[in-house]
Amino acid sequence: MILTRHLKMYDKLIRNALIYDGTGKAPYRANVALFGDRIAFIGNERIARAKDVIDASNLILTPGFIDIHTHTDLLILSDPDMSPRINQGITTDVTGNCGIGVFPSSGDELKSAVSDVLGEWKDWGWDDYRSYKKYAEKNGIATNEAFLVSHTALRLKALGGNAGRSATDAEIEVMCSLLDELLSEGCWGFSTGLYYAPCVFAERKELIALLKVVKKHDKLFAVHHRCEGNDVLESLSEVIEAARETGVRLEVSHLKAIGVRNQDKVPQMLEMIEMARRDGVDVKFDQYPYTFGSTSLFSLLPPHILSLSRFEQRLALSLENEREELKKEVMDPDGWDSIYEMVGPENITALYLEGHKEYSGLTLSEIGKERKKDPLDALFDILSEETGLAVMTDITESEDNLRLIMKHPLASFGSDSLYSSPIPHPRSYHGTVEYLSKYVLGEHILPLEEGIRRMTGENAERVGLKFRGLVKEGYYADLLLISPENLRVNGDRNEGIEMVMVNGEIRKRGNEIAGRRSGMIL
């Protein structure tokens, strides 16, 4: 067997690498030979025949990072080189998260519903998953993409323009049929964002019916659950019980508790998950390495307002009597997360306002001072005038709880990247480097081999991706060469990721992105 290997001319040879193989085991030093898009040989025997020899003596070799929670559905169209992903060592995305996706298309309703998170793309030249895949692949893509089926898209397709309500039994049947078809065509699971309209209006019977379809296909259920703040324990219980009833694999997205007064609930949340695991519920969770999040500024509004069209939202916010009622709802919410009330206007920053660029980078408290108004009135003014993108960041949790969640053995890495705004949350460009350089290598919250496992092998196994996530013979050559001592975020650059390879093709060497777009829709 070894003789046969040595007679073959390999395409690439990575020599003398210290290998962190994605399993969590201790690293070892070896040569790695590649043939085509696969890892053909790993060992210490001398290999003389290779077209491209790469010396990795002072570097570590890892699998390419797999981001289990991201929003790159339209980035693969607007930036097929996927530079924000490649530059941080991400070779595979799991996208369509938070119930936000681009198929099946229902036209302008879906475009409007997802634009604040996914951005805008004028030419939606697809109707369903098959036509979207063909559309996306025509110019090539630089990373591998695994898609979840979006609950928002299903609801808009089945319920039409009036999706801000409970679904009828017939409409639930339509959603289940669509989901069954999409999972059969190759999607990797189903996601919902029960915090966001229109998914917030889904009743238990709808969720259970959809999850039974997911279980039938043995696929993943990823959820941004209903409340991450005051009612986080009840909300977490809702999705755990749904997973218990249906038997699905449950991935709780970006686990956290929002608001100062809710930080003491994190140990209870982790205990609930541990108890569910002991009872046989297959539940795990992911996390991004920042105490502040990012989403649409409109998400600060009550759900019944979010169910309206943007024109109707602006109208409601401009009427004085409506506004006074909305202020009461925001400050005393019933059954929904009012982030404004939980974190306060001083901890919410307008990351990007298309119609009011002068306020980008200011907190709502600062915007209120600029406009000489109460911050909530200033927010309503801005949203009543805004016809374009409105994206925010919000300080949600403590550093202590971020570390507590990160240390937990059921946690894995997910960046929650979104690219709708010209001024992004840093997780979209630096999440992997922040995680490894600050928390793993800097603070030693996890051993390096375990931190890498949670970004590679763990996420591949969780989603069900075959032959990915490990440095192993026969696996796809999604590989990184990293200089741990140089790994850092330096301004707008990531340093220390010296090589990125996708399916055997080098996409990044040093600071240069080049080469064939070798990614694929999985």
Side-chain angles (χ1 to χ4, degrees), residues 188-351:
W188 293 88
F190 165 70
S191 87
T192 187
L194 296 173
Y195 168 70
Y196 297 107
C199 306
V200 65
F201 300 104
E203 295 178 341
R204 179 177 174 78
K205 67 176 182 178
E206 176 181 333
L207 188 60
I208 294 298
L210 290 165
L211 294 190
K212 287 179 178 178
V213 178
V214 177
K215 176 59 179 176
K216 169 188 166 185
H217 290 269
D218 190 25
K219 297 294 179 72
L220 188 68
F221 169 46
V223 59
H224 178 152
H225 59 107
R226 206 174 293 275
C227 298
E228 295 180 320
N230 299 339
D231 297 321
V232 65
L233 297 176
E234 295 81 359
S235 177
L236 186 57
S237 177
E238 176 189 18
V239 294
I240 287 174
E241 291 309 308
R244 189 192 308 275
E245 180 174 336
T246 58
V248 295
R249 286 180 282 135
L250 168 61
E251 181 73 16
V252 181
S253 298
H254 40 62
L255 189 73
K256 59 182 173 291
I258 298 176
V260 173
R261 65 176 175 270
N262 294 315
Q263 295 307 295
D264 63 353
K265 295 175 182 175
V266 169
Q268 295 170 266
M269 294 161 57
L270 295 173
E271 184 179 355
M272 286 174 61
I273 292 170
E274 291 165 4
M275 288 179 61
R277 291 281 301 185
R278 289 196 292 270
D279 291 343
V281 181
D282 189 353
V283 53
K284 292 186 177 181
F285 52 88
D286 52 74
Q287 177 198 42
Y288 52 81
Y290 298 89
T291 58
F292 56 102
S294 180
T295 190
S296 168
L297 199 64
F298 283 91
S299 70
L300 299 177
L301 300 175
H304 70 90
I305 296 297
L306 293 177
S307 70
L308 304 174
S309 69
R310 280 291 169 88
F311 173 79
E312 292 169 323
Q313 289 174 19
R314 294 196 298 273
L315 180 62
L317 290 170
S318 66
L319 300 173
E320 191 60 34
N321 59 332
E322 289 280 349
R323 179 178 288 208
E324 289 306 310
E325 289 301 314
L326 289 177
K327 288 167 73 173
K328 292 176 185 176
E329 285 187 74
V330 168
M331 298 310 298
D332 186 20
D334 182 15
W336 62 284
D337 267 348
S338 175
I339 293 176
Y340 184 97
E341 184 270 336
M342 287 187 292
V343 308
E346 69 280 5
N347 290 318
I348 300 172
T349 299
L351 191 63

Side-chain angles (χ1 to χ4, degrees), residues 94-199:
V94 181
T95 193
N97 277 285
C98 295
I100 299 168
V102 295
F103 56 80
S105 174
S106 53
D108 289 342
E109 289 88 358
L110 185 59
K111 288 184 188 180
S112 176
V114 305
S115 62
D116 276 350
V117 171
L118 300 184
E120 295 181 344
W121 186 256
K122 291 183 180 179
D123 175 27
W124 280 46
W126 63 88
D127 297 308
D128 53 17
Y129 175 60
R130 289 181 185 273
S131 56
Y132 168 79
K133 181 179 177 182
K134 184 177 180 181
Y135 185 96
E137 288 179 332
K138 67 182 180 181
N139 292 320
I141 53 174
T143 54
N144 304 309
E145 298 289 311
F147 284 89
L148 304 175
V149 180
S150 145
H151 195 183
T152 292
L154 294 181
R155 286 197 116 244
L156 289 172
K157 193 73 171 178
L159 278 68
N162 182 22
R165 58 176 174 83
S166 301
T168 66
D169 290 346
E171 289 164 339
I172 292 172
E173 285 186 21
V174 172
M175 281 188 273
C176 288
S177 177
L178 286 168
L179 178 59
D180 185 58
E181 180 181 349
L182 290 163
L183 294 178
S184 297
E185 290 176 351
C187 292
W188 293 88
F190 165 70
S191 87
T192 187
L194 296 173
Y195 168 70
Y196 297 107
C199 306

Side-chain angles (χ1 to χ4, degrees), residues 456-472:
T456 58
E458 167 63 27
N459 284 344
E461 181 179 2
R462 190 71 184 142
V463 179
L465 305 176
K466 302 296 184 184
F467 301 105
R468 297 192 188 271
L470 301 179
V471 180
K472 186 176 180 180

